[in-house]
Amino acid sequence: MTKPLPLDGVRVIEVCNVAAGPFCGMLLADMGADVVKVEHPEGGDTLRAWPPINDGYSENFASLNRNKRSVTLNLKDAGDLALLRELAAGADVLIENNRPGVMERLGVGYAALSALNPKLVYCSISAYGQSGPRSQEGGFDLTVQAMSGIMSVTGEADRPPVKCGVPLADFAAGLYASLGIVAALRSAQASGRGAHLDVPMLGATLGIAALQTSEYFGSGRDPVRLGSAHPRNAPYRVFRSRDGYFGMAAGNNALWRGVCDVLARADLLDDERFATPSTRARHQDALLVILEQEFARADTATWLDRFRAAGVPCAPINTYSQVLADPQVEHMQWVQPLELPNGVRTRTFASPMRFSGEGLPVRLRPPALGEHNDEVLGPLRAGRGAAQ
């Protein structure tokens, strides 16, 4: 990117592990923030041990920790805690995803650090929030998906509950946290006062379930598992063709007419069961039988070509290897080369955002554990020695 990045000059201290916090930190780092990742000297972030391991380095860790620097501090050591306080005193943001109360007991909670640095934006990510009856319960993506209702609407109606294959709770929390931090930075710049952001994974996961919660509030009924189908719209699901499956979403009457045109089934337009999106949704089991009888006449590629030509949204059921090789992904330059600390070259999915037509660059490879101790902590230690 030729222009200055949006968060150039912002210093972030990340005291986080695994997913939600590191994802938040990476989003800020991608936008130009100087993110210093604080890790325990013995092993560091747990994600460093997650496979696939490429000649000693985790590709999972690399995917969430580009554009950062790493330092090692043992927060049970008084001297290292003092260094963390010094880092926070000169920072704009601190992110932590420990269980509520841990940072306070260590003496590096929001109250203690904001006394040193009133403009500090302090973001706490946790399973259930900093207060309340569940605040002391731990949580991972699986348990939050279960608690939040996500698993009650995921999967087929006659099968056991399943989690979404993507860790929605972790990454929704990271997204909310990054948005909150950027907003709080603007406020701190104007007022001179930072803020303590409380980002619960449960709340973030409920926040992105607005259609499901509003369905309950409006009807008094719990949303249910529908597989790939939609509760209020049809045809809007995965369909079987002669050789496989594809997704097709005719989300309004104009698109429904396009479907009928492709199938040469004008008679379906006169069927009262299928007159509107809502009536089609109510009768979608019957509609599924009719449509799949038609789709059995040709293969997936043929149907995708026909629906695209008619302007009806549709897509293959891609694997990740397939979608990452898609021409649109290539055009957007989302897959970028990435070097691991051992020099091994791999690839990563870079930031999907563009600012004025330019993507956000991979400026720094993911760091080795403690790689930047001398660079970041050295001046602090030298200053302390000189003071003595």
Side-chain angles (χ1 to χ4, degrees):
M1 194 169 183
T2 56
K3 301 174 184 176
L5 292 169
L7 294 181
D8 274 351
V10 173
R11 167 68 71 87
V12 178
I13 308 302
E14 179 193 301
V15 190
C16 297
N17 200 44
V18 183
F23 182 57
C24 171
M26 186 181 72
L27 295 177
L28 302 175
D30 283 348
M31 289 188 283
D34 174 20
V35 177
V36 176
K37 184 178 183 71
V38 176
E39 302 182 72
H40 194 278
E42 297 180 8
D45 188 331
T46 305
L47 206 60
R48 287 186 180 274
W50 284 23
I53 304 295
N54 195 330
D55 196 18
Y57 290 92
S58 166
E59 298 256 1
N60 270 189
F61 176 85
S63 72
L64 295 183
N65 289 283
R66 62 174 176 257
N67 291 332
K68 300 178 186 179
R69 298 188 287 170
S70 168
V71 301
T72 53
L73 293 174
N74 179 358
L75 299 188
K76 294 183 178 179
D77 177 85
D80 282 5
L81 267 177
L83 287 172
L84 178 60
R85 291 189 189 95
E86 289 188 57
L87 286 174
D92 301 287
V93 178
L94 186 142
I95 312 166
E96 60 94 8
N97 65 350
N98 297 282
R99 197 173 296 205
V102 169
M103 296 292 276
E104 284 75 14
R105 288 194 293 274
L106 292 171
V108 287
Y110 173 66
L113 294 186
S114 65
L116 298 175
N117 179 0
K119 292 183 68 173
L120 182 67
V121 173
Y122 191 110
C123 179
S124 296
I125 303 173
S126 62
Y128 296 108
Q130 298 300 299
S131 63
R134 294 195 186 277
S135 62
Q136 293 306 303
E137 293 184 26
F140 289 95
D141 180 82
L142 169 69
T143 57
V144 175
Q145 284 201 35
M147 175 66 77
S148 67
I150 290 287
M151 291 175 68
S152 76
V153 295
T154 304
E156 299 292 338
D158 58 349
R159 301 293 297 166
V162 295
K163 70 177 181 66
C164 176
V166 173
L168 287 181
D170 279 328
F171 290 102
L175 282 165
Y176 269 103
S178 64
L179 174 62
I181 287 168
V182 171
L185 281 171
R186 187 173 186 272
S187 177
Q189 185 178 35
S191 69
R193 294 295 305 179
H196 186 193
L197 305 182
D198 180 1
V199 182
M201 292 167 63
L202 176 62
T205 309
L206 283 166
I208 63 170
L211 299 183
Q212 286 68 37
T213 57
S214 63
E215 180 179 349
Y216 169 71
F217 293 143
S219 70
R221 296 186 299 272
D222 279 318
V224 297
R225 295 193 296 278
L226 294 172
S228 66
H230 194 285
R232 289 169 288 278
N233 218 331
Y236 194 106
R237 66 189 303 160
V238 169
F239 295 95
R240 183 194 292 271
S241 70
R242 186 169 65 195
D243 68 341
Y245 297 88
F246 65 95
M248 185 265 287
N252 56 47
N253 284 338
L255 293 172
W256 169 236
R257 285 193 292 273
V259 171
C260 294
D261 289 344
V262 167
L263 297 176
R265 289 292 305 270
D267 60 296
L268 296 177
L269 294 172
D270 299 323
D271 192 320
E272 292 184 359
R273 296 174 298 172
F274 310 139
T276 68
S278 295
T279 60
R280 289 193 292 275
R282 284 201 298 270
H283 300 284
Q284 61 179 298
D285 289 344
L287 182 59
L288 176 65
V289 172
I290 293 169
L291 294 182
E292 287 196 334
Q293 287 174 345
E294 298 291 339
F295 296 150
R297 303 178 193 277
D299 59 23
T300 292
T302 297
W303 290 117
L304 292 175
D305 287 342
R306 292 175 181 174
F307 284 127
R308 284 169 178 154
V312 176
C314 59
I317 311 300
N318 277 334
T319 62
Y320 279 98
S321 62
Q322 290 170 327
V323 68
L324 291 171
D326 188 85
Q328 184 65 24
V329 174
E330 181 180 3
H331 169 78
M332 299 299 285
Q333 299 181 321
W334 286 332
V335 176
Q336 292 290 321
L338 186 72
E339 182 180 332
L340 299 180
N342 56 5
V344 170
R345 302 282 288 182
T346 184
R347 295 180 296 165
T348 193
F349 190 88
S351 173
M353 294 188 293
R354 288 188 173 190
F355 285 74
S356 300
E358 294 189 67
L360 299 175
V362 178
R363 298 173 289 110
L364 299 172
R365 60 163 174 74
L369 180 61
E371 179 177 347
H372 301 96
N373 281 353
D374 290 343
E375 180 178 304
V376 176
L377 301 179
L380 300 181
R381 288 172 172 146
R384 183 178 296 175
Q388 293 174 347

